Amino acid sequence: MSPSTTQRSCQKDIQQLYRMIEASTDGQASIIGVTEMSVVISLHPKFGYNAHADFTAKIRYPVSYPSDGPQVTFNSPIFHPNIDNTSGDVCLNLLSEWRSCYNLLDVVKALLYLINNPNFDLPNNLFGSLSNRNLIGKKTMRVLAGLPVNGERFAPNKAWCEWAKANGCLPTDEDDDDASGEGEGGVQTTVEAALQDRSDERDAAFTYKVGDAVVCEGLTSI
């Protein structure tokens, strides 16, 4: 593939992003900036434990794109087994099983799906690993609030903190990081339960196509 052909393909995908990113993601993604070989996007999920947060990710595409897939770096703290807070590496089947028919909009959609559908059976980092799944809500909220989790602390997610404060559910340092409530199963807070209910409703209806692949439950089936 010649450089001119690659450039035209990149430009075509960027133009498609500008036209379709907000409508195709139900307003959950937007473009922050574009350079010659990368695009920075904002991801703001409406569903799941990370609802109301605002994340940024950088998608770099090589000269050989779209024959070779892009590299994605997550730039915002998140409690997630498949997104490494230290390196920003994202474990996403769409990237590891890349096909030239995929495009940048497909990557954005897959990232949104991954945020809402963590795969704890195949983690790419220790920080986001979790044996007691009942703690996912508590740990997610504490990371977003900028509170210590698993011995680490990250910058708070401003958008989420503003929403949590307005709704009276901003966690504090007094809350025990690993407390699971009554018994081993733990007890969800009201906001955790509400977010999970919304996530379940969304998951039941959310399956989207990427090229000739169907993405469902965080996996790509060709």
Side-chain angles (χ1 to χ4, degrees):
M1 180 178 293
S2 67
S4 60
T5 303
T6 302
Q7 182 66 19
R8 286 197 302 272
S9 180
C10 290
Q11 290 300 322
K12 182 178 179 180
D13 276 10
I14 292 296
Q15 290 170 5
Q16 181 192 44
L17 271 184
Y18 273 114
R19 292 195 313 269
M20 302 179 62
I21 187 170
E22 293 194 20
S24 296
T25 62
D26 190 26
Q28 297 180 89
S30 57
I31 296 175
I32 296 177
V34 176
T35 66
E36 184 178 0
M37 298 303 291
S38 68
V39 56
V40 178
I41 58 172
S42 173
L43 302 168
H44 21 274
K46 294 182 179 180
F47 307 93
Y49 291 118
N50 288 288
H52 310 291
D54 194 358
F55 304 103
T56 61
K58 187 172 187 177
I59 305 174
R60 299 182 181 88
Y61 28 91
V63 175
S64 54
Y65 178 90
S67 295
D68 294 320
Q71 177 186 3
V72 176
T73 304
F74 213 79
N75 298 328
S76 303
I78 186 173
F79 184 79
H80 201 290
N82 316 118
I83 302 175
D84 192 326
N85 275 332
T86 302
S87 64
D89 289 344
V90 177
C91 183
L92 191 62
N93 282 15
L94 184 80
L95 300 177
S96 60
E97 301 173 8
W98 181 261
R99 292 188 176 188
S100 59
C101 61
Y102 299 159
N103 57 47
L104 298 180
L105 184 58
D106 294 331
V107 176
V108 173
K109 291 180 179 180
L111 282 172
L112 281 169
Y113 190 88
L114 180 68
I115 289 174
N116 215 26
N117 295 270
N119 185 350
F120 286 98
D121 294 327
L122 294 172
N124 73 339
N125 67 94
L126 291 176
F127 175 77
S129 300
L130 197 61
S131 56
N132 184 353
R133 307 294 169 81
N134 291 306
L135 293 177
I136 182 174
K138 176 183 288 291
K139 289 183 179 290
T140 296
M141 292 169 66
R142 287 182 63 84
V143 168
L144 293 174
L147 298 176
V149 172
N150 298 346
E152 297 189 51
R153 190 169 192 160
F154 301 92
N157 191 293
K158 183 179 179 181
W160 187 87
C161 287
E162 290 177 353
W163 172 84
K165 185 176 181 180
N167 287 272
C169 57
L170 187 66
T172 65
D173 267 321
E174 286 73 26
D175 297 328
D176 184 6
D177 176 13
D178 295 315
S180 58
E182 299 177 6
E184 294 183 359
V187 177
Q188 288 182 313
T189 65
T190 301
V191 67
E192 287 178 63
L195 289 174
Q196 184 59 53
D197 287 343
R198 293 179 64 189
S199 178
D200 291 342
E201 292 173 3
R202 179 65 171 176
D203 290 346
F206 188 47
T207 299
Y208 64 87
K209 290 186 177 181
V210 177
D212 58 352
V214 175
V215 177
C216 185
E217 298 181 355
L219 299 176
T220 304
S221 177
I222 304 297

